[in-house]
Amino acid sequence: MENGAVYNETTEPEAKPRSRRPFGCTLRHLPGWRLPAKAVQAIFSFVAVTCEEIVEDCSSCGGLYFFEFASCSAFLLSLLILCVYCTDVYETLGEEKVEK
């Protein structure tokens, strides 16, 4: 007991602080063609929402309302995907939770 074998270090060495990127932006999770594809998807869905808002009168508005819902949902989801994959949120949540 007196040789110190019982007593081990109980604290872990201090971790090095992570270097923070400005605004937390990173492009490594959307490599190659995926980033431009998501950006184009966001632009097209925004244009679709804008074009739908231009329509003033319609005789059968059910299809127009569905188009509005679909294009607005696509725009918001593509922005969400861009925000998650291009910021530190991806590392904060973890790859497993993001894929779910």
Side-chain angles (χ1 to χ4, degrees):
M1 290 268 212
E2 293 179 17
N3 62 4
V6 175
Y7 300 105
N8 293 327
E9 290 185 28
T10 57
T11 58
E12 295 181 15
E14 194 171 312
K16 296 179 183 177
R18 264 183 28 184
S19 63
R20 303 292 288 183
R21 293 174 293 279
F23 304 111
C25 281
T26 180
L27 300 178
R28 68 177 166 200
H29 301 297
L30 285 175
W33 58 272
R34 291 181 179 175
L35 179 63
K38 283 295 169 193
V40 167
Q41 179 183 7
I43 291 168
F44 280 161
S45 57
F46 180 72
V47 168
V49 170
T50 306
C51 289
E52 184 277 328
E53 291 298 327
I54 294 173
V55 175
E56 294 178 8
D57 294 324
C58 64
S59 58
S60 177
C61 296
L64 186 64
Y65 292 147
F66 178 75
F67 179 74
E68 178 183 14
F69 170 74
S71 59
C72 187
S73 298
F75 176 65
L76 293 176
L77 288 174
S78 62
L79 283 183
L80 177 68
I81 288 171
L82 283 173
C83 289
V84 167
Y85 280 90
C86 294
T87 60
D88 284 337
V89 175
Y90 189 86
E91 280 103 18
T92 303
L93 294 176
E95 182 178 351
E96 194 173 290
K97 286 186 180 179
V98 171
E99 288 181 1
K100 283 184 183 178

